[in-house]
Amino acid sequence: LTKKERIKEAKERIKELEKMQKDLAQQQADYEREEYAIAEFEKAKVQSIEKQVNGLFSLVEWTLFETQINGQEVPTCKATYKGVPYSDLNTAMKINAGIDIINAISKDTGVSAPIFIDHAESVTKLENTDSQLIRLIVSEEHKVLTIN
């Protein structure tokens, strides 16, 4: 009789635990759905911020967030031109990217300052700017400093 009663109690406990398992599985599914919605919101927010920032520049594109293997977005700040990182650009493109960045900052702040461009001989066409350009070039024919 004791075993029969223990078996009955065990079966009731199994039913309770199975119901609890079902409830917890539903709760987990609800949390996963919320987590997915939050992740999608974060992704949309990241894209919106990058689009807004990149709208301020004509040449340079900014990568403000990197997606990790697990899908999480990590803040970063990398300038690129047509997908090429700034550090890998040639001298001419680095100079023009720099002018583009200065133009965006000048436009945002309303302040234009002179821009000194070193190695200007390596650039055939400079990015347009409202700032005064001071070009520093190397020339064999000028043995002394010449100002034009």
Side-chain angles (χ1 to χ4, degrees):
L1 287 174
T2 311
K3 285 184 182 181
K4 197 174 185 181
E5 197 168 308
R6 282 190 186 165
I7 290 172
K8 183 181 174 187
E9 288 173 2
K11 285 183 180 181
E12 286 176 13
R13 180 68 178 145
I14 289 172
K15 284 181 184 179
E16 279 179 37
L17 292 174
E18 285 175 346
K19 185 183 181 321
M20 190 184 294
Q21 180 183 17
K22 194 175 184 181
D23 292 343
L24 290 173
Q26 181 60 48
Q27 195 175 16
Q28 181 180 4
D30 292 343
Y31 289 146
E32 286 175 354
R33 195 170 21 261
E34 288 177 20
E35 182 181 30
Y36 177 77
I38 291 169
E40 287 299 307
F41 172 77
E42 286 290 326
K43 187 176 181 181
K45 183 177 105 177
V46 163
Q47 290 172 346
S48 174
I49 290 170
E50 280 189 350
K51 183 178 179 183
Q52 186 178 4
V53 168
N54 284 327
L56 301 172
F57 299 88
S58 59
L59 295 176
V60 177
E61 288 184 3
W62 294 92
T63 303
L64 301 177
F65 299 92
E66 284 183 335
T67 305
Q68 291 184 330
I69 295 171
N70 64 2
Q72 185 178 9
E73 299 289 334
V74 176
T76 186
C77 188
K78 295 181 181 176
T80 62
Y81 173 71
K82 294 186 178 180
V84 178
Y86 179 84
S87 60
D88 294 340
L89 294 174
N90 63 26
T91 304
M93 213 43 240
K94 282 183 181 179
I95 290 171
N96 279 322
I99 291 172
D100 186 36
I101 293 168
I102 291 168
N103 285 342
I105 293 170
S106 294
K107 186 176 179 182
D108 184 58
T109 61
V111 176
S112 290
I115 302 172
F116 286 82
I117 300 176
D118 197 5
H119 303 293
E121 70 276 4
S122 62
V123 184
T124 56
K125 183 179 182 308
L126 286 171
E127 181 74 10
N128 291 331
T129 184
D130 291 334
S131 298
Q132 177 187 9
L133 292 177
I134 300 168
R135 300 175 70 183
L136 306 174
I137 61 171
V138 174
S139 173
E140 273 191 41
E141 61 191 62
H142 296 96
K143 299 298 180 194
V144 295
L145 178 63
T146 304
I147 301 175
N148 292 330

